[in-house]
Amino acid sequence: MSGRFEHFVHGADIGIRGIGPTLEEAFAQTARALTAVMVDPEQVAPREPVTIAVSAPDEETLLVDWLNALLFETATRHMLFSRFAVRIAGNRLEATAWGEPIDPLRHQPAVEVKGATMTELAVRRQPDGTWLAQCVVDV
Amino acid sequence: MRVPAIIYGTEDLVRAMDDKVLEQIRNVACLPGIVKAAYALPDAHWGYGFPIGGVAAFDAEAGGVVSAGGVGFDISCGVRTITTGLERAEVEPVVEKLADALYAAVPVGLGRTGQIRLSDAELDAMLEGGARWAVAMGWGDPADLERIEEKGRMAGADPGAVSKKAKERQRAEMGTLGSGNHYLEIQVVDRILDPKAAAVYGLVKDQVVITIHCGSRGLGHQIGTEFLREMALAAPRFGIVLPDRELACAPLRSELGQRYLGAMRAAINCALANREIIDHLARGVLRRLFPRAKMALLFDVSHNTCKLERHRIDGEEKELFVHRKGATRAFGPGHPDVPEPLRSVGQPVLIGGSMGTGSWVLAGAATSEDKSFASAVHGAGRAMSRHEATRQYRGDQIVAELRERGVIVRAPSMRGVAEEAPAAYKDVDAVVLAAERAGLARRVAYLRPIVCIKG
C-alpha cells in the first residue's frame, strides 16, 4: 500500500486519518488507523477475507459507514483486520478486509471502539493531489 | 440561541474547559423546543454534538426534539455500587486472590464474550425487561430492583425499533464489562462527609463496597451509530438547520423521534440487565471468598439517557424530555422517584473516578431541580489524550505504582492501562466539590479503590 495513516487528538477520544493517492487508498488507510486504535496492525495476520458493501448519499457518510461496518464485523466475528482492498463507484463502496480472530493474549487490545462519528469528519483531495479521509472514533 | 447556555464550575474548571464545550452548549441552546436553558456541568468536555457533561430538556408540545448525539453512543452507561458488610481488614489480606477471581469471573476487554448466548426471543425479552428480566433469569437479586432507576425496567422500550445488527452485536455480550474507562472495582469507604446520608445509604467507614461502571455494550453503540446517521440525513426534511451534523435530532412528534425513543429505551434496559448480571457474577466471587458477606445494592444510576420527566417551569409543571449526556440524575430529598428507604436524604449520585483517584457518592440536592433539571456531574473527564498518556506512561509502571499505593489492577492490555493512567484524568475531587458548591448534589462519602478490573 502506498498511503499512510495517523491518529490525531480529540479530548476524550481519538481521531483517525488515512492519506493515499486515491480515494480508495485513503479509505483503506483510515481502516488501518481504526485497527491501530485497538491493536498494533502489524500483529494482525491478514489470513481470512471478509467482504463488506455499504452505500451512502455522500463520501463523508460513506467513510463513517465503512468504518462502522468494520466495527460490526469486529464485534460479531471477533476479528481484527489489517489489510484492505477498497473499490468505490459512485455512492457505493465494496471492499475486502483481511484479518484474523482476536487473540487477547497476543494482540493485547488496548481499547474497544464504540463507533465512528461525524466529528472532524472530512473526505477531501488535498492541494498535493493526495486524498485525505478522517473522523473521530468514540472509545 | 433560543434559551441561555449556563455553565457550572469553579474558575479553574471553566478555564480548563475546551473551547468546544462553549460552542457545543451554545449550539444545544439553539435546538427547537428547548426549555429554560442548556446546561454544562463542572465536568463538561468536548462531546459529539452535545458536550459530555451536558443537560437539555425539550417540550414535545413546543416542537421539541430528541437527539441521538444528546444521549451518546454508550446509551445508559452508568454506575452501581453494592455494599458488602465486609471490613477492610478482612478483605485486604486476600486482595490478590480476590482480583484474580473477579478477573476470571467477569469478561473484560475487546473480543471477550460472556457465558450467556441469547436467542432472538430472549434478546427481545431482555430489551423489554431490563434488570427485571435478568433477575427472572436467575442472574440477580429481586431486592435490587427497587434500588435501580425505573425500578429496573425502562417503560416504553420497543425491541422492534432495534435493528437486527444491534441485536447481533449483543447476542454474546451480556455480562461483559467492555473497555476504556469502564471498570469493576472493590473499594473501601475511606471518608464520610455526611454521616446522616451515609447511614441511610448503608455506607460505613472502612467497610468494603463493589462499584461497576459500564453500559449497553455493542447494542447501544450500534443504535447510537444508526440513529445518528439517520437523524443527520433526515434533518433537512424536518426543516432543522444543524450547526453541527452531530447535533442530529428529530422532532419528538415524528415517526423517527418515536422510533429512536423506543430503541433508546430498549438500550437502557440492556444496560440495566448488563450491570445486574455483572453484579451477580461479582457477588458470586465475594460469596465464595467471604461467606459472611451481606451484599445489598446501594443504587444503580445511568448518565447517558433521555427521559420523560415532570419539572416545574415558571410555576407550572410540565412533561419534558430531559437529555443527560455524561450527567447523572440527582433528585433531591423527598422526590417521589427516589426509592422510599433513601428518599429522606435524596437520590444517590454515583461518580466514577480514575483507577487511582477513587470515586464519590453524592446525594441529590433540593436545589438541583431549579439549577439543572435535577442533574449533577458524572465523573472526572479526561485531561490528556490517549496518545499523550501512552507517550508519558507505561502500563506496567502504572500497575506497579498503583500496587505501591494499595490498588491491585487486572487488565488484558498494558497499553490500555497506560491510556487510562490516573494522571490522564481531571481531578475528580475538584469536580464533585464544584457540583456541591453549585447546589447540584452534596458529598456523602469518598470511596478508595483497592482492586480495579479494567477492560
Side-chain angles (χ1 to χ4, degrees):
Chain A
M1 282 189 270
S2 49
R4 64 186 171 87
F5 73 83
E6 60 196 27
H7 291 157
F8 61 93
V9 170
H10 168 273
D13 294 307
I14 192 160
I16 60 174
R17 180 180 292 143
I19 294 161
T22 62
L23 177 65
E24 285 86 350
E25 184 56 24
F27 271 49
Q29 289 294 339
T30 314
R32 270 179 82 77
L34 176 68
T35 298
V37 172
M38 300 179 270
V39 298
D40 177 359
E42 299 297 323
Q43 301 299 317
V44 179
R47 287 193 275 125
E48 297 174 30
V50 172
T51 55
I52 286 170
V54 289
S55 300
D58 57 76
E59 284 169 351
E60 292 184 339
T61 309
L62 195 63
L63 176 69
V64 172
D65 287 356
W66 154 237
L67 298 170
N68 281 323
L70 284 167
L71 290 174
F72 177 77
E73 299 299 336
T74 293
T76 52
R77 293 176 192 263
H78 308 112
M79 278 180 73
L80 292 161
F81 302 97
S82 57
R83 209 180 112 212
F84 309 90
V86 178
R87 299 166 296 280
I88 297 173
N91 59 2
R92 185 170 171 81
L93 175 150
E94 291 179 14
T96 307
W98 287 269
E100 63 172 331
I102 301 170
D103 177 344
L105 283 178
R106 184 160 56 84
H107 293 127
Q108 296 256 317
V111 73
E112 176 185 43
V113 178
K114 294 172 187 166
T117 78
M118 295 175 183
T119 296
E120 302 284 297
L121 172 60
V123 176
R124 62 173 178 260
R125 192 150 198 194
Q126 306 193 98
D128 67 0
T130 59
W131 283 85
L132 172 150
Q134 69 170 40
C135 72
V136 168
V137 295
D138 190 15
V139 297
Chain B
M1 297 198 301
R2 294 168 194 258
V3 295
I6 295 176
I7 298 169
Y8 291 108
T10 58
E11 188 178 341
D12 285 349
L13 287 169
V14 174
R15 278 189 195 283
M17 275 177 195
D18 197 303
D19 286 344
K20 285 280 181 183
V21 171
L22 310 185
E23 183 185 319
Q24 290 191 325
I25 203 66
R26 277 198 299 261
N27 286 343
V28 172
C30 298
L31 290 174
I34 188 165
V35 174
K36 198 171 167 187
Y39 300 98
L41 303 181
D43 53 342
H45 53 278
W46 183 12
Y48 302 101
F50 276 55
I52 296 161
V55 179
F58 296 86
D59 182 354
E61 279 183 25
V65 294
V66 60
S67 167
V71 173
F73 286 90
D74 197 358
I75 298 167
S76 201
C77 184
V79 183
R80 70 158 55 193
T81 295
I82 302 110
T83 56
T84 68
L86 295 169
E87 299 296 328
R88 176 166 76 96
E90 57 190 312
V91 175
E92 277 181 342
V94 291
V95 278
E96 295 278 359
K97 198 172 159 192
L98 175 58
D100 286 337
L102 287 168
Y103 190 56
V106 178
V108 300
L110 179 66
R112 292 268 172 93
T113 54
Q115 300 287 321
I116 300 168
R117 296 287 180 283
L118 299 184
S119 67
D120 290 350
E122 287 168 329
L123 270 164
D124 284 358
M126 179 272 289
L127 296 173
E128 285 262 13
R132 282 194 218 171
W133 168 85
V135 167
M137 295 290 283
W139 297 312
D141 182 346
D144 294 350
L145 297 174
E146 71 161 342
R147 299 290 189 111
I148 303 173
E149 283 185 302
E150 326 304 335
K151 296 190 163 44
R153 175 183 177 270
M154 185 74 222
D158 179 6
V162 177
S163 72
K164 278 195 175 133
K165 280 187 152 184
K167 290 176 185 173
E168 207 47 52
R169 269 180 87 163
Q170 196 58 30
R171 197 180 292 282
E173 289 206 347
M174 293 311 292
T176 64
L177 193 67
S179 69
N181 62 359
H182 293 164
Y183 58 77
L184 163 69
E185 285 189 345
I186 302 297
Q187 303 165 325
V188 170
V189 180
D190 194 64
R191 262 189 297 153
I192 287 179
L193 287 90
D194 182 337
K196 183 186 158 209
V200 170
Y201 288 177
L203 293 170
V204 179
K205 185 167 160 45
D206 286 332
Q207 282 195 354
V208 167
V209 301
I210 310 166
T211 294
I212 296 162
H213 174 215
C214 71
S216 50
R217 309 291 298 115
L219 180 122
H221 309 164
Q222 190 69 26
I223 291 172
T225 296
E226 290 171 3
F227 278 93
L228 200 74
R229 181 189 195 275
E230 191 174 352
M231 286 180 176
L233 294 176
R237 185 157 49 88
F238 294 121
I240 299 173
V241 181
L242 297 174
D244 171 356
R245 259 181 301 199
E246 293 237 289
L247 273 172
C249 56
L252 284 154
R253 290 192 175 159
S254 68
E255 185 277 332
L256 176 54
Q258 288 300 310
R259 188 153 43 83
Y260 175 69
L261 285 173
M264 182 215 44
R265 288 165 177 160
I268 290 177
N269 281 331
C270 178
L272 298 181
N274 197 44
R275 286 198 289 274
E276 186 68 28
I277 294 170
I278 293 172
D279 177 344
H280 178 70
L281 297 173
R283 286 192 208 189
V285 169
L286 266 84
R287 230 174 256 125
R288 207 167 67 232
L289 294 179
F290 309 98
R292 77 160 207 95
K294 288 183 76 169
M295 288 168 285
L297 181 59
L298 164 55
F299 202 59
D300 179 303
V301 65
S302 299
H303 48 234
N304 287 346
T305 58
C306 172
K307 290 189 172 172
L308 180 60
E309 297 171 2
R310 298 188 78 80
H311 290 279
R312 289 195 81 77
I313 306 293
D314 300 328
E316 188 191 342
E317 195 158 279
K318 279 199 161 170
E319 286 209 314
L320 300 172
F321 287 84
V322 182
H323 292 65
R324 295 187 181 88
K325 171 75 193 96
T328 311
R329 191 147 83 175
F331 287 142
H335 193 287
D337 286 347
V338 179
E340 199 278 324
L342 311 173
R343 198 171 296 157
S344 63
V345 293
Q347 180 215 302
V349 177
L350 307 173
I351 307 299
S354 72
M355 291 188 276
T357 56
S359 302
W360 283 89
V361 178
L362 284 67
T367 42
S368 69
E369 170 64 28
D370 284 338
K371 302 249 179 183
S372 57
F373 294 111
S375 310
V377 294
H378 85 304
R382 285 191 81 92
M384 186 188 292
S385 72
R386 289 177 180 277
H387 179 74
E388 184 60 21
T390 49
R391 213 181 56 78
Q392 289 197 19
Y393 304 102
R394 276 183 40 193
D396 53 353
Q397 284 172 343
I398 299 278
V399 169
E401 278 171 32
L402 286 171
R403 183 188 299 274
E404 286 289 306
R405 283 160 54 188
V407 189
I408 306 300
V409 178
R410 292 285 184 275
S413 157
M414 284 305 110
R415 181 180 140 196
V417 170
E419 291 185 4
E420 291 292 320
Y425 281 85
K426 289 182 202 156
D427 180 1
V428 71
D429 298 359
V431 165
V432 297
L433 184 59
E436 181 172 286
R437 288 185 176 160
L440 309 179
R442 307 182 317 279
R443 291 176 299 165
V444 175
Y446 169 74
L447 310 174
R448 176 172 60 80
I450 55 173
V451 172
C452 176
I453 310 295
K454 268 282 186 190

